[in-house]
Amino acid sequence: MGRGWTAERPGGTARPAAAGEGARRGHNLFEAASAYVSACAEDDQERIDEAASRVSPEALSFGVTELACRAVIALARERDESPRTVTRALLGLPAA
């Protein structure tokens, strides 16, 4: 994950690694990704554009990818399925 953050992976949680500039930038990155994804889900172009303007396209892409990974992990745990099974089901792909 970004500087100053630890990833939520099996056995871990997301949290600022240390107070200061790195943690603040990571926080803004994830806020932008959260706003962007929720706006996309609600088909709100104005909010999509606003969220996309908060950080660089690369940073937004990273944040959206991290959010997707965390969501898949959470769903997989909730459903007691593998992340691969969950992602394929969410995308409407046949079971592998």
Side-chain angles (χ1 to χ4, degrees), residues 19-74:
E21 185 67 22
R24 192 180 93 237
R25 269 187 271 161
H27 182 68
N28 291 338
L29 167 94
F30 292 123
E31 282 195 8
S34 173
Y36 182 84
V37 170
S38 63
C40 287
E42 296 169 359
D43 198 26
D44 185 336
Q45 189 62 49
E46 186 175 320
R47 286 180 42 225
I48 290 169
D49 294 341
E50 193 279 325
S53 72
R54 294 184 194 176
V55 295
S56 72
E58 296 82 6
L60 184 60
S61 176
F62 174 81
V64 169
T65 299
E66 187 62 30
L67 178 58
C69 289
R70 293 179 190 201
V72 167
I73 289 168

